[in-house]
C-alpha cells in the first residue's frame, strides 16, 4: 500500500485559486483510487525543508516513502507507473497517454499561460494583444476538441 503525501499550499491568492497544479495530481490519485494524504505548507514561510522538496519554492510535490517528486508532469508519470488506470500497459495506449500529458503541459498550458496572465492582471480585454492570445488559445482548444470529442 502506498503512503502518498501530496503537499500543497495552506493558502492560495484569490486570482490563481482553483488553477494551481495540485488539482492534476488530486484528479489522478482519485481516478486511480490511490490513497493519499494532503500536507499543507505555508504560502508565506518557505524554509529550507520546502526548498529541499521543491527547489523553486512552489507546490505541489509528492512523497512516496523516501521518494520526493516535484513538477506535476513528473508526478503524473510517477503515478502512472503505479496504475494501469492512468498509464495503460498496452504500448499504443501508453504512448497516447504520454503524448497527451506532454501536449497538456506544453502545447495547451503554454498557450493558456499568456492568456491567464492577462486575465489575472485585469488587462483590458479589447486590446490587440489580448485578442491575439484569445484567438491562439481558442485555436488550440478547438484542435483538441475535434480530436478528443470522438473519444471516451
Amino acid at each position: 500500500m502506498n503512503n502518498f503525501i501530496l503537499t500543497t499550499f495552506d493558502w492560495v491568492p484569490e486570482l490563481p485559486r482553483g488553477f494551481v497544479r495540485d488539482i492534476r495530481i488530486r484528479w489522478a490519485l482519485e481516478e486511480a483510487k490511490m490513497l493519499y494524504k494532503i500536507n499543507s505548507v505555508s504560502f508565506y514561510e518557505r524554509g529550507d525543508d520546502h526548498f529541499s522538496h521543491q527547489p523553486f519554492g512552489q507546490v505541489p510535490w509528492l512523497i512516496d516513502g523516501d521518494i520526493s517528486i516535484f513538477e506535476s508532469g513528473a508526478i503524473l508519470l510517477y503515478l502512472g507507473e503505479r496504475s494501469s488506470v492512468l498509464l495503460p500497459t498496452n504500448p499504443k495506449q501508453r504512448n497516447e497517454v504520454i503524448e497527451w500529458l506532454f501536449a497538456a503541459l506544453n502545447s495547451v498550458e503554454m498557450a493558456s499561460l499568456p492568456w491567464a496572465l492577462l486575465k489575472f492582471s485585469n488587462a483590458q480585454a479589447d486590446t490587440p494583444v489580448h485578442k491575439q492570445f484569445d484567438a491562439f488559445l481558442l485555436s488550440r482548444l478547438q484542435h483538441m476538441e475535434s480530436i478528443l470529442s470522438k473519444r471516451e
Side-chain angles (χ1 to χ4, degrees):
M1 182 170 127
N2 295 314
N3 289 322
F4 295 125
I5 300 171
L6 178 62
T7 300
T8 64
F9 281 133
D10 60 356
W11 177 84
V12 176
E14 188 170 331
L15 286 178
R17 197 170 293 160
F19 296 96
V20 290
R21 293 179 174 105
D22 64 284
I23 190 70
R24 302 166 178 171
I25 312 310
R26 292 174 192 244
W27 188 354
L29 289 163
E30 294 290 330
E31 194 76 22
K33 297 182 179 18
M34 296 172 143
L35 299 176
Y36 66 100
K37 295 178 186 172
I38 298 292
N39 177 41
S40 294
V41 296
S42 173
F43 178 80
Y44 292 106
E45 299 171 19
R46 298 173 212 171
D48 291 342
D49 185 57
H50 188 128
F51 283 93
S52 73
H53 291 283
Q54 216 302 349
F56 306 109
Q58 301 169 315
V59 294
W61 71 80
L62 183 81
I63 295 174
D64 181 16
D66 63 350
I67 298 172
S68 179
I69 309 160
F70 71 97
E71 288 298 328
S72 59
I75 296 168
L76 291 171
L77 280 174
Y78 181 81
L79 294 174
E81 290 294 331
R82 279 138 192 83
S83 170
S84 61
V85 170
L86 300 174
L87 195 55
T89 56
N90 172 286
K92 184 177 185 311
Q93 294 170 332
R94 183 180 189 84
N95 185 59
E96 286 179 352
V97 169
I98 293 170
E99 282 177 331
W100 281 103
L101 171 62
F102 278 85
L105 297 173
N106 293 310
S107 299
V108 178
E109 183 170 329
M110 292 315 295
S112 69
L113 187 59
W115 177 88
L117 291 173
L118 284 172
K119 292 287 185 190
F120 292 150
S121 71
N122 293 321
Q124 282 186 282
D126 60 350
T127 65
V129 143
H130 203 284
K131 289 178 182 179
Q132 284 177 318
F133 285 133
D134 280 349
F136 183 60
L137 179 57
L138 181 61
S139 170
R140 287 288 163 110
L141 295 176
Q142 286 173 336
H143 286 291
M144 214 170 70
E145 177 68 18
S146 69
I147 294 166
L148 296 180
S149 66
K150 299 174 185 122
R151 301 176 73 159
E152 184 179 334

